[in-house]
Amino acid sequence: MAADAIERQFVLWSRQKSGDELPAKVRHVVDEFAELLRAHAAEPPVVYYGEWIDMWSMGDVLPSLGDDRVVVIDGLHYQACCHRPPIRFKITTIGDEPSQELQWLLNRLREAEDAWDELAPNYVILLLRKVTGGLVEDREIEEAQSMMPDWLAKIVQTPE
């Protein structure tokens, strides 16, 4: 029942768009939905939940996965997309190879599709995206390897 209700809700939200914009009230509800899903991720009917920070993937892939059949719903803080399996994923490449980040995402999506599909064959896969900052450059990662961040130094003792 939850999968069907969520899918219907996404359709209702998409019908309230004016161009690419949703009314502010609906955008608040989308964010509330995202937070509720995250708060209840460890209980049924959720059967698979994953969350991670990816410092490189952009909105041209997430949360639609490049699938033009699905509608991305924009909240104020979250973007959300409801996918019915099987997942269609348009893999973009860099030098004829999928990026490492896209391969990780594809692996998580395959895990989600396989998680309990025999027990719960009627399901949707929801992707939420929350932008928390700009892209991180390789140089920034390399520089960070040689120092202890202030927030971590407060609780971790380093050898002197």
mmCIF file of all heavy atoms in Angstrom, residues 1 3 17 21 27 36 40 45 48 56 62 64 70 82 89 93 97 108 118 120 134 136 155:
data_model
loop_
_atom_site.group_PDB
_atom_site.id
_atom_site.type_symbol
_atom_site.label_atom_id
_atom_site.label_comp_id
_atom_site.label_asym_id
_atom_site.label_seq_id
_atom_site.Cartn_x
_atom_site.Cartn_y
_atom_site.Cartn_z
ATOM 1 N N MET A 1 0.814 -1.200 0.000
ATOM 2 C CA MET A 1 0.000 0.000 0.000
ATOM 3 C C MET A 1 0.859 1.266 0.000
ATOM 4 O O MET A 1 0.520 2.242 -0.666
ATOM 5 C CB MET A 1 -0.919 0.010 1.212
ATOM 6 C CG MET A 1 -2.080 -0.947 1.114
ATOM 7 S SD MET A 1 -3.131 -0.965 2.595
ATOM 8 C CE MET A 1 -3.563 0.738 2.773
ATOM 9 N N ALA A 3 3.864 1.807 -1.230
ATOM 10 C CA ALA A 3 4.478 2.089 -2.536
ATOM 11 C C ALA A 3 3.480 2.768 -3.468
ATOM 12 O O ALA A 3 3.808 3.761 -4.126
ATOM 13 C CB ALA A 3 5.000 0.795 -3.163
ATOM 14 N N LYS A 17 2.686 21.569 -10.532
ATOM 15 C CA LYS A 17 3.753 22.417 -11.057
ATOM 16 C C LYS A 17 3.190 23.480 -11.983
ATOM 17 O O LYS A 17 2.269 23.239 -12.753
ATOM 18 C CB LYS A 17 4.782 21.589 -11.836
ATOM 19 C CG LYS A 17 5.734 20.815 -10.983
ATOM 20 C CD LYS A 17 6.800 20.159 -11.841
ATOM 21 C CE LYS A 17 7.868 19.527 -10.975
ATOM 22 N NZ LYS A 17 8.956 18.969 -11.797
ATOM 23 N N GLU A 21 8.143 25.000 -11.524
ATOM 24 C CA GLU A 21 8.036 25.385 -10.117
ATOM 25 C C GLU A 21 6.811 24.793 -9.432
ATOM 26 O O GLU A 21 5.740 24.721 -10.009
ATOM 27 C CB GLU A 21 7.974 26.912 -9.999
ATOM 28 C CG GLU A 21 9.250 27.613 -10.393
ATOM 29 C CD GLU A 21 10.391 27.332 -9.436
ATOM 30 O OE1 GLU A 21 10.167 27.346 -8.207
ATOM 31 O OE2 GLU A 21 11.508 27.099 -9.924
ATOM 32 N N ARG A 27 6.366 22.574 -1.777
ATOM 33 C CA ARG A 27 7.808 22.392 -1.571
ATOM 34 C C ARG A 27 8.118 22.091 -0.108
ATOM 35 O O ARG A 27 8.974 21.258 0.201
ATOM 36 C CB ARG A 27 8.563 23.618 -2.068
ATOM 37 C CG ARG A 27 8.440 23.771 -3.592
ATOM 38 C CD ARG A 27 9.159 24.959 -4.098
ATOM 39 N NE ARG A 27 10.584 24.684 -3.932
ATOM 40 C CZ ARG A 27 11.534 25.432 -4.432
ATOM 41 N NH1 ARG A 27 11.236 26.503 -5.123
ATOM 42 N NH2 ARG A 27 12.797 25.131 -4.244
ATOM 43 N N LEU A 36 10.626 12.831 7.093
ATOM 44 C CA LEU A 36 9.893 11.709 7.685
ATOM 45 C C LEU A 36 10.438 10.372 7.204
ATOM 46 O O LEU A 36 10.583 9.422 7.986
ATOM 47 C CB LEU A 36 8.398 11.816 7.375
ATOM 48 C CG LEU A 36 7.626 12.852 8.178
ATOM 49 C CD1 LEU A 36 6.232 13.063 7.587
ATOM 50 C CD2 LEU A 36 7.532 12.421 9.642
ATOM 51 N N HIS A 40 12.140 7.484 9.622
ATOM 52 C CA HIS A 40 11.523 6.159 9.754
ATOM 53 C C HIS A 40 12.192 5.121 8.854
ATOM 54 O O HIS A 40 11.600 4.088 8.538
ATOM 55 C CB HIS A 40 10.031 6.251 9.436
ATOM 56 C CG HIS A 40 9.292 7.090 10.430
ATOM 57 N ND1 HIS A 40 8.847 6.590 11.629
ATOM 58 C CD2 HIS A 40 8.969 8.410 10.423
ATOM 59 C CE1 HIS A 40 8.264 7.560 12.310
ATOM 60 N NE2 HIS A 40 8.329 8.679 11.605
ATOM 61 N N PRO A 45 7.381 0.098 6.286
ATOM 62 C CA PRO A 45 7.573 -0.662 5.051
ATOM 63 C C PRO A 45 8.894 -0.406 4.347
ATOM 64 O O PRO A 45 9.120 -0.962 3.277
ATOM 65 C CB PRO A 45 6.410 -0.186 4.183
ATOM 66 C CG PRO A 45 6.205 1.227 4.565
ATOM 67 C CD PRO A 45 6.495 1.272 6.046
ATOM 68 N N TYR A 48 14.955 -1.213 2.504
ATOM 69 C CA TYR A 48 16.352 -0.927 2.177
ATOM 70 C C TYR A 48 16.525 0.579 2.278
ATOM 71 O O TYR A 48 15.697 1.341 1.780
ATOM 72 C CB TYR A 48 16.697 -1.392 0.763
ATOM 73 C CG TYR A 48 18.133 -1.106 0.363
ATOM 74 C CD1 TYR A 48 19.128 -2.046 0.564
ATOM 75 C CD2 TYR A 48 18.488 0.105 -0.210
ATOM 76 C CE1 TYR A 48 20.449 -1.791 0.211
ATOM 77 C CE2 TYR A 48 19.801 0.380 -0.564
ATOM 78 C CZ TYR A 48 20.777 -0.569 -0.355
ATOM 79 O OH TYR A 48 22.072 -0.302 -0.708
ATOM 80 N N TRP A 56 30.973 14.643 -5.667
ATOM 81 C CA TRP A 56 31.185 14.955 -7.074
ATOM 82 C C TRP A 56 29.952 14.840 -7.951
ATOM 83 O O TRP A 56 29.834 15.569 -8.932
ATOM 84 C CB TRP A 56 32.303 14.087 -7.646
ATOM 85 C CG TRP A 56 33.625 14.451 -7.076
ATOM 86 C CD1 TRP A 56 34.432 15.472 -7.472
ATOM 87 C CD2 TRP A 56 34.285 13.836 -5.981
ATOM 88 N NE1 TRP A 56 35.554 15.538 -6.685
ATOM 89 C CE2 TRP A 56 35.493 14.529 -5.760
ATOM 90 C CE3 TRP A 56 33.989 12.758 -5.155
ATOM 91 C CZ2 TRP A 56 36.392 14.185 -4.768
ATOM 92 C CZ3 TRP A 56 34.885 12.423 -4.166
ATOM 93 C CH2 TRP A 56 36.064 13.130 -3.982
ATOM 94 N N LEU A 62 21.354 12.835 -10.431
ATOM 95 C CA LEU A 62 20.496 12.579 -9.276
ATOM 96 C C LEU A 62 19.407 13.626 -9.181
ATOM 97 O O LEU A 62 19.680 14.791 -9.417
ATOM 98 C CB LEU A 62 21.334 12.615 -7.993
ATOM 99 C CG LEU A 62 22.340 11.497 -7.866
ATOM 100 C CD1 LEU A 62 23.304 11.781 -6.750
ATOM 101 C CD2 LEU A 62 21.649 10.183 -7.617
ATOM 102 N N SER A 64 17.021 11.823 -10.801
ATOM 103 C CA SER A 64 16.272 11.196 -11.908
ATOM 104 C C SER A 64 16.999 10.025 -12.535
ATOM 105 O O SER A 64 16.384 9.225 -13.235
ATOM 106 C CB SER A 64 15.979 12.225 -12.995
ATOM 107 O OG SER A 64 17.167 12.569 -13.691
ATOM 108 N N VAL A 70 10.662 9.743 -15.479
ATOM 109 C CA VAL A 70 10.351 10.101 -14.097
ATOM 110 C C VAL A 70 10.353 11.613 -13.911
ATOM 111 O O VAL A 70 10.973 12.344 -14.670
ATOM 112 C CB VAL A 70 11.327 9.434 -13.102
ATOM 113 C CG1 VAL A 70 11.228 7.923 -13.176
ATOM 114 C CG2 VAL A 70 12.750 9.891 -13.343
ATOM 115 N N CYS A 82 10.650 9.354 -7.536
ATOM 116 C CA CYS A 82 10.081 8.040 -7.247
ATOM 117 C C CYS A 82 10.248 7.170 -8.495
ATOM 118 O O CYS A 82 9.763 7.513 -9.572
ATOM 119 C CB CYS A 82 8.596 8.212 -6.902
ATOM 120 S SG CYS A 82 7.734 6.680 -6.548
ATOM 121 N N PHE A 89 18.748 3.572 -15.822
ATOM 122 C CA PHE A 89 19.838 4.432 -15.393
ATOM 123 C C PHE A 89 20.671 4.788 -16.612
ATOM 124 O O PHE A 89 21.227 3.923 -17.248
ATOM 125 C CB PHE A 89 20.681 3.659 -14.377
ATOM 126 C CG PHE A 89 21.710 4.482 -13.658
ATOM 127 C CD1 PHE A 89 21.459 4.970 -12.403
ATOM 128 C CD2 PHE A 89 22.942 4.735 -14.230
ATOM 129 C CE1 PHE A 89 22.402 5.699 -11.712
ATOM 130 C CE2 PHE A 89 23.890 5.467 -13.558
ATOM 131 C CZ PHE A 89 23.630 5.950 -12.292
ATOM 132 N N THR A 93 29.533 8.923 -19.082
ATOM 133 C CA THR A 93 30.903 8.435 -19.026
ATOM 134 C C THR A 93 31.897 9.581 -19.100
ATOM 135 O O THR A 93 31.603 10.660 -19.594
ATOM 136 C CB THR A 93 31.191 7.453 -20.186
ATOM 137 O OG1 THR A 93 30.972 8.137 -21.421
ATOM 138 C CG2 THR A 93 30.312 6.224 -20.098
ATOM 139 N N GLU A 97 34.392 5.649 -19.838
ATOM 140 C CA GLU A 97 34.228 4.862 -18.612
ATOM 141 C C GLU A 97 33.236 5.563 -17.696
ATOM 142 O O GLU A 97 33.271 6.782 -17.558
ATOM 143 C CB GLU A 97 35.570 4.730 -17.874
ATOM 144 C CG GLU A 97 36.614 3.932 -18.609
ATOM 145 C CD GLU A 97 36.285 2.459 -18.649
ATOM 146 O OE1 GLU A 97 35.697 1.936 -17.673
ATOM 147 O OE2 GLU A 97 36.607 1.819 -19.666
ATOM 148 N N ARG A 108 24.389 0.521 -5.444
ATOM 149 C CA ARG A 108 23.374 0.700 -4.396
ATOM 150 C C ARG A 108 21.969 0.495 -4.963
ATOM 151 O O ARG A 108 21.097 -0.071 -4.300
ATOM 152 C CB ARG A 108 23.454 2.096 -3.769
ATOM 153 C CG ARG A 108 24.756 2.474 -3.066
ATOM 154 C CD ARG A 108 25.181 1.585 -1.909
ATOM 155 N NE ARG A 108 25.713 0.306 -2.272
ATOM 156 C CZ ARG A 108 26.966 0.071 -2.709
ATOM 157 N NH1 ARG A 108 27.819 1.038 -2.858
ATOM 158 N NH2 ARG A 108 27.362 -1.157 -2.992
ATOM 159 N N GLU A 118 11.406 -10.595 -3.524
ATOM 160 C CA GLU A 118 10.529 -11.773 -3.517
ATOM 161 C C GLU A 118 9.447 -11.646 -2.452
ATOM 162 O O GLU A 118 8.319 -12.094 -2.645
ATOM 163 C CB GLU A 118 11.349 -13.047 -3.300
ATOM 164 C CG GLU A 118 12.226 -13.372 -4.502
ATOM 165 C CD GLU A 118 13.040 -14.634 -4.282
ATOM 166 O OE1 GLU A 118 12.684 -15.451 -3.403
ATOM 167 O OE2 GLU A 118 14.041 -14.795 -4.996
ATOM 168 N N ALA A 120 8.397 -8.638 -1.056
ATOM 169 C CA ALA A 120 7.613 -7.418 -1.299
ATOM 170 C C ALA A 120 7.784 -6.998 -2.764
ATOM 171 O O ALA A 120 8.547 -6.082 -3.064
ATOM 172 C CB ALA A 120 8.080 -6.310 -0.364
ATOM 173 N N GLY A 134 29.280 22.891 -2.347
ATOM 174 C CA GLY A 134 29.768 22.821 -3.713
ATOM 175 C C GLY A 134 30.620 21.586 -3.935
ATOM 176 O O GLY A 134 30.930 20.840 -3.005
ATOM 177 N N VAL A 136 33.811 19.345 -4.447
ATOM 178 C CA VAL A 136 35.123 19.362 -3.825
ATOM 179 C C VAL A 136 36.143 18.980 -4.895
ATOM 180 O O VAL A 136 35.964 17.993 -5.606
ATOM 181 C CB VAL A 136 35.176 18.378 -2.633
ATOM 182 C CG1 VAL A 136 36.571 18.309 -2.061
ATOM 183 C CG2 VAL A 136 34.170 18.788 -1.573
ATOM 184 N N ILE A 155 38.324 15.903 19.786
ATOM 185 C CA ILE A 155 38.051 14.631 20.462
ATOM 186 C C ILE A 155 39.110 13.560 20.218
ATOM 187 O O ILE A 155 39.146 12.564 20.908
ATOM 188 C CB ILE A 155 36.664 14.059 20.053
ATOM 189 C CG1 ILE A 155 36.595 13.791 18.564
ATOM 190 C CG2 ILE A 155 35.558 14.968 20.503
ATOM 191 C CD1 ILE A 155 35.425 12.922 18.171
#
